[in-house]
């Protein structure tokens, strides 16, 4: 499901094509969350930034970063967020807002964005988790056993890494029951 | 009533006002120390160049002395280039009712606005969020014509800085802010200077009202604001982003409020206190970017 960020200029009756300021960001967040609620469990809300040249620092902090924090805290169930068609200028301010949350609030926040059509991560992810996520993205899906075998890890360690990525809203998860038993299968959303 | 009919206090304005904290502080001190009720004359004879911060500071001083003396400040000794610059940035238009000059002005030549102009934004008044957004959108339209790509990083940083400083006035100052943005084209880079001034509540009273005495000095309060503390209750990222842009661009972020100020550069953050008290907040951001 997609949400046009450019449409906010009409919805919020803004005077120009750019998305600026914390006050308008908080107003925008209300509309974005309403659309997120329509996303089925396991689904992705894609924020489409086509037509938005600029934001400032406060607008993305009050919208996408605040929403990423709420998703991590479990406030919106099993749903995921992706930024798409962001200009370099918008990405720079989103990236800065994520870094500030990490430095000032000691909060590790990360979210997806599409770069040349390929999903990637913005924000702070520990190196070992990033490695696991890359493997999941490349493989299409990943289990703890597969990750453990690939990296020579204890299965508990591999499982913990995948679980952390799921909690960070960077991997979706489904349960599979087979003759071998029950296991979780992790995939990159969308 | 014009000052020529009354005893006046003549205050010499230093050259390159806005270029050094010391020069600006001397001017503030002189203006604040002027006897109440006595009209002020700002003698501009030594001024050959005025930085954007100097322009907004001068405007703020004119508002202040009008409040104290009841009279408009007179500007004398204007060099032709300086006079042209002040006209170019709409200084006397914005200062209507608080400042004037009787010096004649030649309306030809450098006065003309054009796409090659160094100004991104002449002096513009900001009070509300809507006006803050209008300032940024105006700058955006100008920058689109000046840069070859609509999302050029320098242009994006200009819009970010303008938005954050203007939104802060709307959020916190309870006063009118005056903002200016200038761009200087050099061989290898673009230099940017943005400044804003208001005579509002000031950072220390604004934060104290919500959070109490979270610092021992005014500069300490300004530093807390820089680090994210906001009178709106949430943590704010805007001032820190300005610091990042200024430092990444080899420039400076200075914030003066009340009797304190901080100056952030790549070398760290300097704190200064026990300055001459001046109401409101004055912010200046400078940085370099790619052409």
């Amino acid at each position: 499901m997609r949400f046009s960020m450019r449409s906010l200029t009409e919805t919020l009756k803004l005077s120009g094509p750019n998305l600026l300021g914390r006050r308008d960001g908080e107003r925008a967040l209300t509309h974005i969350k309403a659309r997120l609620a329509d996303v089925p469990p396991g689904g992705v809300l894609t924020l489409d930034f086509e037509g938005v040249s600029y934001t400032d620092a406060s607008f993305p902090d009050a919208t996408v970063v605040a929403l990423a924090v709420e998703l991590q805290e479990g406030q919106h169930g099993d749903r995921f967020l992706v930024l798409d068609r962001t200009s370099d200028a918008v990405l720079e301010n989103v990236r800065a807002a994520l870094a500030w949350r990490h430095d000032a609030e000691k909060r590790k926040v990360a979210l997806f964005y599409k770069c040349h059509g390929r999903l990637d991560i913005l924000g702070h992810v520990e190196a070992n988790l990033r490695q696991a996520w890359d493997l999941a993205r490349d493989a299409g899906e990943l289990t703890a056993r597969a990750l453990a075998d690939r990296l020579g890890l204890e299965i508990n360690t591999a499982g913990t890494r995948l679980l952390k990525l799921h909690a960070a809203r960077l991997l979706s998860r489904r349960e599979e029951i087979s003759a071998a038993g029950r296991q979780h299968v992790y995939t990159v959303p969308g | 009533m014009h000052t020529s009919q009354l005893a006046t206090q003549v205050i010499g304005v230093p050259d390159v006002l806005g270029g050094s904290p010391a020069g600006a502080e001397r001017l503030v001190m002189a203006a604040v120390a002027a006897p109440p009720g006595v009209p002020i004359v700002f003698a501009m004879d030594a001024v050959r160049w005025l930085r954007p911060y100097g322009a907004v500071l001068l405007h703020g001083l004119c508002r202040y002395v009008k409040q104290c003396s009841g009279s408009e400040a007179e500007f004398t000794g204007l060099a032709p280039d300086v006079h042209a610059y002040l006209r170019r940035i709409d200084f006397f238009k914005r200062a209507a009712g608080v400042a004037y000059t009787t010096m004649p002005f030649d309306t030809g030549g450098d006065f003309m606005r054009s796409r090659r102009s160094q100004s991104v934004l002449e002096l513009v008044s900001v009070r509300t969020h809507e006006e803050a957004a209008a300032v940024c959108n105006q700058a955006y339209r100008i920058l689109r014509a000046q840069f070859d790509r609509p999302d050029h990083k320098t242009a994006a940083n200009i819009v970010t800085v303008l938005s954050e400083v203007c939104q802060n006035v709307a959020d916190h100052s309870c006063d009118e802010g005056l903002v200016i943005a200038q761009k200087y084209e050099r061989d290898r880079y673009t230099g940017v200077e943005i400044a804003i001034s208001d005579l509002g509540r000031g950072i220390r009273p604004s934060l104290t009202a919500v959070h109490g005495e979270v610092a021992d000095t005014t500069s300490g309060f300004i530093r807390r604001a820089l680090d994210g503390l906001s009178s709106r209750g949430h943590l704010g990222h805007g001032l820190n982003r300005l610091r990042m842009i200024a430092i990444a661009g080899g420039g400076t972020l200075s914030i003066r409020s009340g009797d304190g100020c901080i100056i952030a550069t790549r070398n760290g953050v300097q704190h200064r206190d026990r300055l001459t008290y001046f109401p409101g907040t004055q912010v200046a951001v400078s940085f370099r970017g790619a052409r």
Side-chain angles (χ1 to χ4, degrees):
Chain A
M1 187 172 292
R2 298 183 78 86
F3 181 92
S4 165
M5 296 297 283
R6 179 64 192 265
S7 71
L8 287 168
T9 58
E10 189 175 327
T11 306
L12 301 179
K13 294 182 174 34
L14 305 179
S15 58
N18 305 304
L19 301 178
L20 305 168
R22 181 167 296 279
R23 188 193 71 155
D24 283 343
E26 289 170 351
R27 294 167 62 207
L29 185 59
T30 302
H31 293 275
I32 296 170
K33 288 204 277 192
R35 178 60 70 93
L36 181 64
D38 293 335
V39 173
V44 176
L45 178 65
T46 298
L47 300 183
D48 187 341
F49 279 82
E50 189 189 29
V52 178
S53 288
Y54 299 143
T55 66
D56 58 7
S58 297
F59 187 95
D61 187 59
T63 51
V64 298
V65 176
L67 187 55
V69 169
E70 290 184 7
L71 282 164
Q72 273 191 1
E73 292 175 345
Q75 293 187 34
H76 301 287
D78 188 25
R79 294 176 174 87
F80 300 88
L81 187 68
V82 174
L83 310 185
D84 193 13
R85 299 202 278 191
T86 48
S87 68
D88 290 344
V90 170
L91 269 184
E92 190 65 28
N93 275 328
V94 174
R95 194 174 277 122
L98 290 166
W100 180 78
R101 291 268 187 159
H102 181 254
D103 293 341
E105 299 181 358
K106 308 303 179 202
R107 189 188 285 271
K108 300 173 186 175
V109 188
L111 48 85
F112 293 126
Y113 78 109
K114 283 199 176 167
C115 181
H116 305 298
R118 184 171 158 90
L119 207 63
D120 207 336
I121 294 175
L122 272 177
H124 181 85
V125 180
E126 287 94 340
N128 58 358
L129 299 184
R130 178 67 203 229
Q131 183 185 39
W133 186 86
D134 285 337
L135 289 172
R137 181 182 60 181
D138 295 341
E141 61 182 36
L142 198 61
T143 64
R145 168 54 61 195
L147 180 62
D149 290 345
R150 178 69 185 268
L151 297 182
L153 301 173
E154 296 289 332
I155 191 164
N156 285 346
T157 302
T160 298
R161 291 183 187 183
L162 293 173
L163 185 60
K164 283 184 177 179
L165 286 167
H166 175 65
R169 300 280 89 201
L170 297 175
L171 285 178
S172 63
R173 182 174 81 170
R174 69 179 189 275
E175 191 176 81
E176 277 188 356
I177 299 175
S178 67
R182 188 179 73 174
Q183 66 175 357
H184 288 115
V185 180
Y186 293 86
T187 53
V188 173
Chain B
M1 178 182 290
H2 279 189
T3 56
S4 58
Q5 300 173 346
L6 302 168
T8 58
Q9 176 80 22
V10 179
I11 297 174
V13 178
D15 192 17
V16 197
L17 180 65
S20 83
E25 287 307 315
R26 282 197 297 273
L27 186 63
V28 170
M29 191 183 303
V32 170
V38 175
I40 299 295
V41 173
F42 285 114
M44 302 284 283
D45 305 79
V47 180
R48 291 292 170 264
W49 180 250
L50 199 62
R51 300 279 287 269
Y53 177 67
V56 298
L57 180 66
L58 263 182
H59 185 275
L61 289 171
C62 291
R63 289 181 65 201
Y64 177 81
V65 299
K66 175 67 184 289
Q67 291 172 9
C68 295
S69 71
S71 300
E72 299 175 42
E74 181 180 5
F75 280 73
T76 63
L78 288 164
D81 285 355
V82 175
H83 198 171
Y85 174 74
L86 290 175
R87 296 281 178 180
R88 171 72 179 81
I89 64 173
D90 285 343
F91 180 88
F92 291 107
K93 178 179 173 183
R94 297 297 170 199
V98 298
Y100 72 99
T101 185
T102 60
M103 297 185 66
F105 177 67
D106 179 5
T107 58
D110 204 35
F111 182 69
M112 298 301 294
R113 293 176 174 81
S114 77
R115 290 176 60 173
R116 294 184 297 277
S117 169
Q118 292 179 339
S119 275
V120 176
L121 213 63
E122 289 80 19
L123 285 169
V124 180
S125 172
V126 175
R127 194 184 285 270
T128 65
H129 289 101
E130 288 75 16
E131 288 172 343
V135 164
C136 294
N137 289 319
Q138 179 184 351
Y140 166 74
R141 284 190 291 274
I142 293 168
L143 291 166
R144 279 187 67 182
Q146 293 180 348
F147 286 95
D148 56 1
R149 285 170 40 210
D151 65 340
H152 191 288
K153 186 169 181 177
T154 303
N157 284 339
I158 292 172
V159 172
T160 294
V161 172
L162 275 172
S163 181
E164 294 298 336
V165 297
C166 292
Q167 298 283 347
N168 275 343
V169 168
D171 276 338
H172 305 295
S173 80
C174 303
D175 184 53
E176 172 195 20
L178 204 70
V179 65
I180 185 173
Q182 295 240 212
K183 188 165 63 68
Y184 305 96
E185 300 295 341
R186 301 287 183 256
D187 286 342
R188 296 180 192 172
Y189 66 89
T190 294
V192 178
E193 296 190 20
I194 295 170
I196 191 167
S197 172
D198 68 75
L199 298 187
R201 282 196 297 177
I203 291 175
R204 183 168 189 166
S206 181
L207 290 180
T208 300
V210 176
H211 300 287
E213 296 294 324
V214 294
D216 295 330
T217 61
T218 300
S219 70
F221 275 87
I222 300 173
R223 181 61 185 271
R224 291 298 302 267
L226 180 66
D227 291 339
L229 194 64
S230 169
S231 63
R232 289 300 183 104
H234 55 76
L235 286 180
H237 167 50
L239 286 179
N240 182 65
R241 185 75 181 111
L242 303 191
R243 169 170 49 176
M244 293 170 60
I245 290 172
I247 290 174
T252 302
L253 166 66
S254 71
I255 305 174
R256 190 194 194 285
S257 189
D259 64 353
C261 83
I262 64 162
I263 301 172
T265 65
R266 276 183 175 158
N267 298 323
V269 181
Q270 298 176 44
H271 290 235
R272 296 182 183 173
D273 288 285
R274 292 191 292 277
L275 305 175
T276 301
Y277 178 84
F278 189 69
T281 302
Q282 297 79 42
V283 179
V285 185
S286 68
F287 58 94
R288 294 181 179 182
R291 293 200 57 177

